């Protein structure tokens, strides 16, 4: 803004996106893991990608990486609406060597989405483009480790609390290994990072911006 329009930096207020706190109980998390991993769990890892099947969201890359990395008891769940790459994604699932380990529920309601995010062992967002990446914060707030691609928006939102995977299938496989091995640290870092993006933090920053805009500075009306 300052470079393109010559705006005084003192007039710029950055308001963080506010992500509502997760609303998922321990029982709901357990039921979701049982739904996808089986009653005994068997040590399986649940990997989640929540995104519309647009070409830039990275579904094909994750399907390939999951096929290389996963064990017979792991599951990949792809939720989100139908996008332009839906047929390509479905074809990639059908032709994969691990098709029986991949589920495509499609669009789910908010409660199902929240329980899947909280139940997942890792949430992956390998997008080539993002404006913000709300699922990153949603997962961190729920105590779920996160993997993101190395685009500016996701790296910035992750703030060092997410595993960053550069281009290619191999780097995404390595990121999956890191997310599982470094789980405890990532959960702690993610919970701390998510506190910067609460609805209360966002609302307070927006209110401060409004006061500044009408000449009230930091004063409370």
């Amino acid at each position: 803004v300052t470079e393109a329009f010559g705006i005084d930096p003192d007039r710029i207020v950055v308001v963080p996106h506010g992500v509502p706190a997760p609303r998922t109980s321990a029982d709901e998390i357990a039921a979701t893991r049982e739904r996808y991993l089986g009653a005994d769990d068997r040590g399986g890892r649940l990997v989640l990608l929540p995104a519309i099947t647009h070409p830039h969201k990275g579904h094909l890359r994750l399907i390939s990486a999951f096929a290389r990395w996963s064990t017979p008891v792991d599951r990949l769940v792809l939720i989100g609406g139908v996008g332009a790459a839906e047929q390509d994604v479905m074809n990639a699932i059908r032709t994969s060597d691990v098709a029986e380990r991949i589920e495509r529920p499609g669009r789910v309601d908010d409660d199902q989405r929240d329980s899947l995010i909280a139940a997942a062992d890792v949430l992956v967002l390998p997008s080539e483009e993002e404006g913000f990446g709300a699922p990153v914060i949603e997962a961190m707030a729920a105590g779920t480790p996160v993997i993101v691609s190395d685009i500016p928006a996701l790296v910035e939102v992750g703030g060092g609390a997410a595993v960053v995977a550069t281009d290619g299938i191999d780097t995404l496989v390595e990121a999956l290994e890191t997310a599982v091995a470094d789980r405890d640290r990532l959960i702690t870092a993610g919970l701390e990072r998510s506190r910067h993006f609460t609805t209360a933090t966002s609302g307070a920053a927006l209110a401060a911006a409004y006061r500044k805009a009408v000449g009230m500075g930091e004063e409370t009306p």
Side-chain angles (χ1 to χ4, degrees):
V1 172
T2 57
E3 292 175 2
F5 302 104
I7 302 297
D8 183 346
D10 290 339
R11 294 180 59 199
I12 300 171
V13 178
V14 177
V15 177
H17 189 62
V19 177
R23 302 169 300 168
T24 305
S25 69
D27 287 344
E28 289 170 326
I29 292 172
T32 298
R33 288 189 65 86
E34 180 176 342
R35 158 71 179 82
Y36 289 100
L37 295 174
D40 55 2
D41 210 316
R42 296 175 296 170
R45 286 82 55 91
L46 182 60
V47 179
L48 177 68
L49 170 53
I52 296 173
T53 50
H54 289 319
H56 67 276
K57 290 293 188 178
H59 292 80
L60 302 184
R61 181 183 174 206
L62 179 56
I63 289 169
S64 295
F66 182 78
R68 293 189 192 180
W69 170 81
S70 64
T71 70
V73 292
D74 298 326
R75 294 294 182 270
L76 170 61
V77 181
L78 309 174
I79 61 172
V82 173
E86 177 74 15
Q87 194 56 54
D88 291 337
V89 170
M90 296 306 297
N91 287 340
I93 294 172
R94 280 193 292 269
T95 59
S96 172
D97 292 337
V98 295
E100 73 283 357
R101 300 180 212 160
I102 303 175
E103 298 206 29
R104 170 75 177 118
R107 191 175 184 86
V108 299
D109 63 31
D110 291 352
D111 289 341
Q112 289 177 294
R113 178 202 63 203
D114 290 348
S115 64
L116 269 166
I117 289 174
D121 291 282
V122 57
L123 181 143
V124 187
L125 205 62
S127 306
E128 297 172 7
E129 301 173 15
E130 285 291 341
F132 176 73
V136 173
I137 299 301
E138 291 169 342
M140 289 180 175
T144 299
V146 177
I147 297 172
V148 298
S149 55
D150 63 341
I151 60 174
L154 294 181
V155 172
E156 182 177 342
V157 171
V163 180
V164 178
T166 55
D167 291 341
I169 307 302
D170 291 341
T171 57
L172 193 48
V173 171
E174 292 171 4
L176 286 163
E177 293 173 349
T178 298
V180 171
D182 209 11
R183 176 178 176 80
D184 291 343
R185 184 192 68 80
L186 289 169
I187 289 174
T188 300
L191 289 170
E192 177 59 32
R193 181 61 176 163
S194 70
R195 296 189 181 102
H196 296 278
F197 296 94
T198 65
T199 51
T201 300
S202 181
L206 187 59
Y210 286 155
R211 295 187 191 110
K212 187 170 186 176
V214 297
M216 299 176 67
E218 299 299 324
E219 299 293 329
T220 301

